[in-house]
Amino acid sequence: MSSAGSFAWKRFGPLLLLLLWLGVAGSVQAHGLRVHAQLEGNAVHGRAWYSDDSPAVGERASLHRPEPDSMELAVTRTDAQGRFVLPAPPEAALRLVVEGDEGHREELMLAAPVTALPGSPWQAELRRELQPLREDIARLQQRIRIGDLLAGVGLIVGLAGGWALWRSRGRR
Amino acid sequence: MHLSEGVLPLPLLAGCWVVAAAGVVQGLRRLRDERLPLAALLGAAFFVASTVHVPAGVGSVHLILNGVCGLLLGGAALPVLAVALLLQAVLFSFGGLAVLGANLLIMGLPALAVHVLLGPLVRRGGPRAAMTAGVLAGVIGIGGAAVLAAALLLLAGGRQLHDLAGLLVLAHVPVLLADAAIGALLLPGLRRLAPGALDGSPDV
């Protein structure tokens, strides 16, 4: 057993090291693109990240009118932290689209804040203070939870059990 | 590797759904009762594998394992992958319901290719053949999935997708190596501990 283990290590140790190196050299995009954004005055501030918590860098973020029209109003790219700022026209509802690598895409509908008082500086200050907190909440909400993972595994096992039960009915 | 909602046009989505659904029905017919526990185990492994990101430097590496699923399950891999992909879409919003058919084909067709190409090698060969098959299962499984995803993006056309397609294949080299390494360690072990799992005999 141990000889087989060392045999495997001798053969594939270098491969595993290469793998680690590649992981350091190039980042792999995870499966889901996540976006958080909000209207602040006459601009949309937002952040995009992947489901492994790495920032979505250099992705295309665009602002559109709602569905039937869906004209593109503004476009930009996310920065090194995945942040972006888009100039927003004074419209009631806006559609934000972020398109990531490898066919990732995420949409958000943005509604203008009801209590928008454009002239008050303390309110802008408050929004800026709250922004990181809002982003943290969005990130935590969309993080993969161990409970969901276990629920999925349990469902798969349950499905197999159900299928086995159904198949065994005919034999009795 | 999961394509998101809204990336592919409607006819392509519908076509993928039809082909994928036919594959799932065929696969269910091929799922023999004695392979059911193995199928559930591999389905759970596939479901979990792509959510567990091992941080490595600035990036992270994860597994997909569609090649190993195909090698061990053959045609029955399609319904197994369908259930796992559905749960990933519902619980983690990886991909989505409309694009589920396309994502199933992306993961499932390479899995079937692995079964057809490597099945004979595993059934007849020794430990070294099992190890080779493990490596190739990763290469064909991930490489094939990346090529299929890129092909679908190209078919969809549209803005910047042409650039993304090449990137998609390159970006998955680390995942490909991870799957190949795990396959290389897993299959010789399986061959020793549960030979029935590899040669398709009932005593898994």
Side-chain angles (χ1 to χ4, degrees):
Chain A
M1 208 57 189
S2 70
S3 74
S6 72
F7 167 75
W9 174 248
K10 258 183 225 152
R11 289 236 136 176
F12 293 99
L15 183 67
L16 286 176
L17 288 179
L18 177 73
L19 189 75
L20 281 176
W21 174 78
L22 265 168
V24 175
S27 96
V28 185
Q29 308 297 3
H31 295 278
L33 181 64
R34 315 283 191 235
V35 175
H36 169 74
Q38 62 178 6
L39 261 171
E40 287 176 36
N42 49 8
V44 172
H45 294 253
R47 185 171 177 267
W49 69 99
Y50 282 103
S51 53
D52 65 344
D53 270 357
S54 63
V57 182
E59 314 295 19
R60 188 179 198 281
S62 54
L63 205 56
H64 303 254
R65 288 225 178 90
E67 254 322 327
D69 177 9
S70 74
M71 194 184 85
E72 191 169 284
L73 300 167
V75 63
T76 187
R77 295 240 166 223
T78 59
D79 68 9
Q81 276 104 46
R83 292 180 189 286
F84 58 89
V85 181
L86 286 161
E91 303 205 20
L94 291 163
R95 195 163 62 95
L96 175 75
V97 177
V98 178
E99 283 166 295
D101 283 344
E102 31 182 287
H104 284 138
R105 191 173 191 279
E106 186 69 5
E107 276 189 35
L108 272 185
M109 284 306 294
L110 298 171
V114 187
T115 57
L117 293 172
S120 69
W122 63 269
Q123 206 164 19
E125 182 61 35
L126 187 65
R127 272 203 213 105
R128 211 166 340 195
E129 295 267 316
L130 285 177
Q131 174 79 3
L133 195 63
R134 287 200 163 120
E135 279 175 13
D136 274 351
I137 291 171
R139 198 168 51 82
L140 289 176
Q141 256 177 354
Q142 299 185 338
R143 183 176 263 178
I144 291 171
R145 288 184 201 83
I146 195 80
D148 288 344
L149 211 58
L150 290 176
V153 170
L155 265 167
I156 291 172
V157 172
L159 263 178
W163 180 265
L165 189 69
W166 184 70
R167 296 281 298 171
S168 71
R169 267 185 336 170
R171 272 190 235 145
R172 284 200 213 117
Chain B
M1 197 79 74
H2 297 59
L3 298 183
S4 299
E5 298 280 36
V7 174
L8 300 181
L10 193 60
L12 207 53
L13 287 176
C16 287
W17 251 103
V18 170
V19 177
V24 167
V25 171
Q26 279 300 316
L28 277 178
R29 286 198 187 139
R30 271 155 215 255
L31 179 56
R32 300 204 310 274
D33 294 347
E34 60 273 10
R35 309 287 280 184
L36 189 58
L38 182 68
L41 188 68
L42 286 169
F46 175 88
F47 168 75
V48 172
S50 48
T51 63
V52 179
H53 292 268
V54 182
V58 290
S60 62
V61 171
H62 63 92
L63 297 170
I64 292 186
L65 295 179
N66 60 333
V68 170
C69 280
L71 187 56
L72 298 182
L73 295 174
L78 280 180
V80 168
L81 294 179
V83 169
L85 283 172
L86 174 67
L87 287 175
Q88 285 182 343
V90 171
L91 291 175
F92 310 132
S93 42
F94 291 173
L97 294 183
V99 78
L100 185 65
N103 281 329
L104 179 56
L105 292 184
I106 287 172
M107 291 294 162
L109 291 182
L112 294 183
V114 165
H115 180 72
V116 172
L117 296 174
L118 302 178
L121 177 69
V122 171
R123 277 192 288 276
R124 264 183 266 124
R128 187 163 291 192
M131 205 174 260
T132 312
V135 172
L136 289 179
V139 172
I140 298 172
I142 307 301
V147 168
L148 276 176
L152 279 177
L153 288 178
L154 281 178
L155 269 179
R159 200 173 35 218
Q160 32 162 313
L161 291 181
H162 288 74
D163 320 330
L164 297 179
L167 196 83
L168 178 61
V169 177
L170 269 188
H172 280 89
V173 169
V175 182
L176 186 151
L177 289 176
D179 258 30
I182 290 297
L185 297 175
L186 185 71
L187 280 180
L190 262 183
R191 194 184 157 276
R192 247 197 338 268
L193 298 174
L198 293 181
D199 60 19
S201 67
D203 52 328
V204 178

